[in-house]
Amino acid sequence: MLNHLPVIHYKKQLHLSTTQKPKGKIHRLASMLRNYRVYHRYLGLGLGVFLLISSITGLLLGWKKDVDLLQPPTQKGATTDLTQWIPLATMASMATAALDSAQQIQNNAIDRLEARPDKGSVKVLFRKDIGKYS
């Protein structure tokens, strides 16, 4: 039954090789390729600089606790006995005065004081929106 089906023949089109294409098209393709190489070079350079900066800052963030130049070590108090500490209000006013003189910003609002009696230290944290409160 399959032998009775009509056979259809298609004409094949001749394809020209790259040496037979018109010269204008070759020059246009070569010009586009040169432009793509330039774009690729500068895009790669830009991405390389971005990755380099990202890598260096990531490395520094990883080392910040170990290198005193990146983050000074926590200053420990002379005693862990709370009766010998100065009052927290005095510490807060001293920290505010120190920040005012260092940052040239007045009316800094303290967010919280974190006392660590086991280490003999107090951390003073200011609000992020510094200087907006009076």
Side-chain angles (χ1 to χ4, degrees):
M1 222 199 259
L2 291 175
N3 295 335
H4 299 290
L5 293 175
V7 177
I8 301 174
H9 295 283
Y10 293 102
K11 291 182 181 179
K12 292 185 178 180
Q13 293 181 354
L14 293 175
H15 294 289
L16 297 175
S17 68
T18 56
T19 57
Q20 296 173 342
K21 288 186 179 179
K23 290 193 183 239
K25 192 170 188 178
I26 292 172
H27 289 297
R28 198 169 3 138
L29 286 173
S31 173
M32 283 176 42
L33 184 61
R34 273 188 232 107
N35 287 337
Y36 288 143
R37 285 180 181 162
V38 170
Y39 299 149
H40 185 263
R41 179 183 310 136
Y42 288 117
L43 183 65
L45 250 167
L47 287 174
V49 167
F50 171 74
L51 286 175
L52 182 70
I53 291 171
S54 180
S55 300
I56 289 172
T57 56
L59 188 67
L60 291 175
L61 283 173
W63 283 349
K64 78 176 183 179
K65 295 285 185 183
D66 300 327
V67 179
D68 291 342
L69 181 65
L70 299 175
Q71 181 178 0
T74 302
Q75 298 295 320
K76 296 191 179 191
T79 181
T80 57
D81 183 17
L82 293 178
T83 59
Q84 295 181 4
W85 284 20
I86 61 173
L88 291 179
T90 306
M91 285 186 207
S93 63
M94 289 170 59
T96 303
L99 186 65
D100 286 344
S101 67
Q103 294 288 326
Q104 305 296 324
I105 300 172
Q106 301 299 319
N107 301 324
N108 295 308
I110 293 178
D111 188 27
R112 66 182 179 270
L113 295 170
E114 291 182 1
R116 297 183 178 151
D118 56 332
K119 292 184 178 181
S121 67
V122 175
K123 185 192 297 187
V124 181
L125 299 172
F126 292 91
R127 291 188 180 162
K128 290 185 180 183
D129 47 0
I130 243 174
K132 292 187 179 179
Y133 297 97
S134 54

